Amino acid sequence: MSSASPGRLLALIRSGDQWTRQQLLEETGMSRPTLLARLAPLITGGLVYETGPLASPRGRPAQLIRFDDRSLRTLAIDVGHTRAQVSVTDIYGRALRTRQTLVDMYEADAGDLLPPLLGIGADLLDAGDPHERLVGVGIGLPAPIDPRTGAPGRKWIMPTWQKYPIKERIQERWAVPVVLENDARALALGESGMHEARTVLGVKWSSGLGAGLVVDGRLLDGEDGSAGDIGHIRVVPSGPEPQCRCGLYGCVAAYASGHALLEQLNLHSLGEIVQRNQAGDTAVDQALTAAGEHVGAVLASLISMLNPGVLILSGIIGRIPHVVDAVSRQVRATALSHSTAGLRIVSGGLGEQAASAGLARLVAEHVLDPAVVDAAIVASR
């Protein structure tokens, strides 16, 4: 393995639990002076530390070297259609402190909504140990995120966010990298870490409908960031009603999204749907079954094409057992049997922390990338 730079050496150290200098020398082929030169900035930068001596039957005990993950923190801001969650996590995406607040992404101006969320983030960071170190901020938004520009798209969902300097406003408060991602894709990435499958399809089903595909641990974003936008796949060929929020007719979101279900049932919150389902409300059960059949038909087509090992249903609607069962029945009745023979269809295991875990993972992948680590070391000299 070539580990010529500090960044690449860090990647090697992170691949194992702990190393001795001798093991690193053997693995990399470096000379001892070169290894010490590469380790020095990693130790100084708080990315690597010595844990203590390894017991040895004879001779001098070897010092163990580990990735220093003890104080590294990310700030994950998961913004949905009606609710936002701000979390401080460790570098692995495990939430340490979390707060939720209500939002209205269809009406709120970006300049009015983002600053209070950053204020919550600041409060959560201040509540931690003074030795904690923020390494990056991840923000999930209910819109396509262009991978080339990092900016949100689709004006009809977030009309004031298109040209708003999101990254710049965040970096005015914290001088760290900022990563933007679609909220459903972030959720899929977070949930994928719970499963040993090469291909994972995750669905966020709350006020809206979205999905993410993770292959070999990598999230698919598509050409312009629209990958996973399943809510606007047509399930009914013609209108006239109901009309989707996108302005078209026949979209699955117009029939099965949380927003559509609230209109159908004349209810006021998604939590009320969950409560009535748990109480055995027949009207709610019938609406969820119909919604599950619509979404299941869409997912069956995707499964026939993508052949995932796991389909994860998450979000406040997606995690309802009645919904998981309805989707599962429809998928297995519609998709080709060889596409579903090994398929597991499960409810999301991370609950409301799924997107935060995915955002933290994206931040970690960026800030610990060997090239980024090397550039940071050069800039600090």
Side-chain angles (χ1 to χ4, degrees), residues 256-304:
S257 67
H259 175 77
L261 288 168
L262 290 177
E263 290 191 341
Q264 294 168 25
L265 296 165
N266 195 27
L267 299 177
H268 302 291
S269 73
L270 300 184
E272 192 174 358
I273 292 178
V274 175
Q275 293 168 1
R276 294 201 178 202
N277 167 256
Q278 292 172 341
D281 187 306
T282 302
V284 169
D285 288 352
Q286 291 175 345
L288 291 175
T289 297
E293 291 172 350
H294 280 306
V295 174
V298 168
L299 294 176
S301 297
L302 298 178
I303 287 164
S304 293

Side-chain angles (χ1 to χ4, degrees), residues 85-156:
Q85 178 169 281
V86 184
S87 301
V88 173
T89 81
D90 64 17
I91 199 67
Y92 304 106
R94 293 182 290 249
L96 305 175
R97 298 178 294 279
T98 295
R99 192 185 303 174
Q100 292 186 351
T101 186
L102 297 178
V103 298
D104 186 344
M105 288 301 292
Y106 288 96
E107 300 295 336
D109 184 274
D112 294 330
L113 180 57
L114 186 61
L117 295 179
L118 300 185
I120 293 173
D123 290 342
L124 293 174
L125 289 167
D126 290 343
D129 187 287
H131 295 100
E132 290 182 341
R133 179 154 60 103
L134 181 67
V135 297
V137 177
I139 179 165
L141 297 171
I145 303 296
D146 191 319
R148 296 162 296 188
T149 65
R154 190 158 306 145
K155 296 181 180 180
W156 58 267

Side-chain angles (χ1 to χ4, degrees), residues 145-273:
I145 303 296
D146 191 319
R148 296 162 296 188
T149 65
R154 190 158 306 145
K155 296 181 180 180
W156 58 267
I157 290 183
M158 301 165 56
T160 66
W161 291 73
Q162 313 311 306
K163 297 185 181 301
Y164 187 79
I166 300 171
K167 290 186 177 182
E168 290 80 358
R169 291 293 177 266
I170 294 174
Q171 289 175 327
E172 287 173 359
R173 190 180 287 257
W174 302 289
V176 296
V178 177
V179 176
L180 273 70
E181 185 52 271
N182 170 263
D183 61 336
R185 291 203 298 263
L187 177 147
L189 183 62
E191 288 284 4
S192 71
M194 301 281 290
H195 301 273
E196 293 185 4
R198 180 171 176 270
T199 307
V200 175
L201 178 61
V203 175
K204 180 180 181 180
W205 190 348
S206 295
S207 293
L209 266 169
L213 182 68
V214 183
V215 181
D216 290 332
R218 307 297 297 180
L219 189 61
L220 178 71
D221 51 21
E223 191 68 20
D224 63 2
S226 295
D229 198 359
I230 64 170
H232 303 285
I233 295 176
R234 291 191 178 186
V235 292
V236 178
S238 61
E241 292 184 356
Q243 185 179 27
C244 183
R245 285 187 167 188
C246 71
L248 301 176
Y249 295 89
C251 299
V252 66
Y255 294 88
S257 67
H259 175 77
L261 288 168
L262 290 177
E263 290 191 341
Q264 294 168 25
L265 296 165
N266 195 27
L267 299 177
H268 302 291
S269 73
L270 300 184
E272 192 174 358
I273 292 178

